[in-house]
Amino acid sequence: MGEVVKKVNGMEWSYNEKENTIQFGFEFLESFTRRDINMDAPCTIYCEGKVYSTSDIKTMDERFYKARDESYEAEEIVNDVQRRKEAPRKWNEEKGEWEKRFEDESSVVTFFKRMNFERIERDEKDKNTSRPLPRDLSLDCGPFPGFSDEVYVRNDGVIKLKSNKFWKGDIVIGSWSAEPISNKPKSYY
């Protein structure tokens, strides 16, 4: 039932800055068995996951806030077109009749205002979905090799078994997550 102790070599880790992805691995030099799992040597297991530095998150947030403000402004322009259309009529003394307060905009201008709003709204949604949700990240940030800022680790890392002579392609065998090591009291988490 207890632990299985075998010699393992840590492998280099890498970071893909464009995708915020880290990868690191372990090479097991001896075969081992744990419960119903048999691993023949040599065996390479690696972990993939995403990390976000505090400055990355700040930049993504700023881009989203800017896009959200632009979306509010574009929505206000579209809503103003509708308000002008639905504005109450005013009495014209000279003509002796009720008339529209505002001239109607051409349908082409209205169409382009709506299209601009939809484009800006899509951009806002894209920028929002590119940001990780706080619930998907480690509870706190901490130091990580190769980063000047502290980083958050995304909770949905995967563990893969590297392809070998018995199969082609990597096989997902589990998941991983991490919390930073800090001097904060355990009750913080």
Side-chain angles (χ1 to χ4, degrees):
M1 191 86 171
E3 65 186 89
V4 176
V5 180
K6 295 291 179 180
K7 185 169 173 64
V8 63
N9 286 338
M11 301 172 68
E12 293 290 319
W13 69 275
S14 63
Y15 173 64
N16 179 333
E17 189 173 349
K18 186 176 181 180
E19 297 178 9
N20 292 343
T21 305
I22 59 168
Q23 184 180 59
F24 56 93
F26 308 96
E27 183 180 35
F28 293 88
L29 304 175
E30 301 175 38
S31 297
F32 67 90
T33 302
R34 171 83 168 132
R35 295 193 178 128
D36 62 340
I37 305 293
N38 296 314
M39 302 298 268
D40 293 324
C43 166
T44 303
I45 294 176
Y46 63 94
C47 301
E48 288 181 350
K50 291 190 177 261
V51 294
Y52 300 94
S53 70
T54 52
S55 60
D56 287 342
I57 290 178
K58 182 179 179 186
T59 300
M60 286 186 274
D61 286 345
E62 287 170 353
R63 287 180 184 156
F64 166 70
Y65 297 145
K66 183 176 185 246
R68 184 181 61 188
D69 291 344
E70 290 172 1
S71 178
Y72 287 157
E73 290 171 13
E75 183 179 25
E76 187 60 34
I77 290 169
V78 169
N79 288 341
D80 190 51
V81 169
Q82 194 63 29
R83 277 193 295 275
R84 291 172 67 94
K85 228 182 238 187
E86 296 171 354
R89 296 176 179 256
K90 65 180 181 179
W91 181 254
N92 185 332
E93 289 289 334
E94 294 172 8
K95 294 182 180 176
E97 61 183 32
W98 292 97
E99 60 183 26
K100 291 183 177 182
R101 283 187 188 272
F102 305 102
E103 292 292 320
D104 284 339
E105 258 183 355
S106 79
S107 55
V108 172
V109 171
T110 302
F111 172 77
F112 280 112
K113 285 180 178 179
R114 287 188 185 279
M115 292 301 294
N116 186 49
F117 169 60
E118 288 177 17
R119 180 188 57 78
I120 290 172
E121 192 175 43
R122 272 193 314 274
D123 184 50
E124 175 195 2
K125 286 178 183 171
D126 291 344
K127 287 193 173 37
N128 191 30
T129 55
S130 71
R131 301 181 312 154
L133 296 172
R135 70 172 181 251
D136 295 335
L137 298 175
S138 53
L139 294 175
D140 199 6
C141 56
F144 198 85
F147 288 85
S148 57
D149 293 342
E150 292 189 327
V151 299
Y152 288 92
V153 179
R154 194 169 174 119
N155 294 331
D156 59 358
V158 294
I159 303 171
K160 294 183 178 181
L161 186 59
K162 195 155 184 73
S163 63
N164 63 24
K165 62 184 176 185
F166 299 110
W167 66 83
K168 297 218 183 280
D170 300 338
I171 300 172
V172 175
I173 60 172
S175 62
W176 70 277
S177 63
E179 290 294 334
I181 298 172
S182 68
N183 293 330
K184 294 177 182 168
K186 289 184 181 179
S187 63
Y188 177 79
Y189 297 107

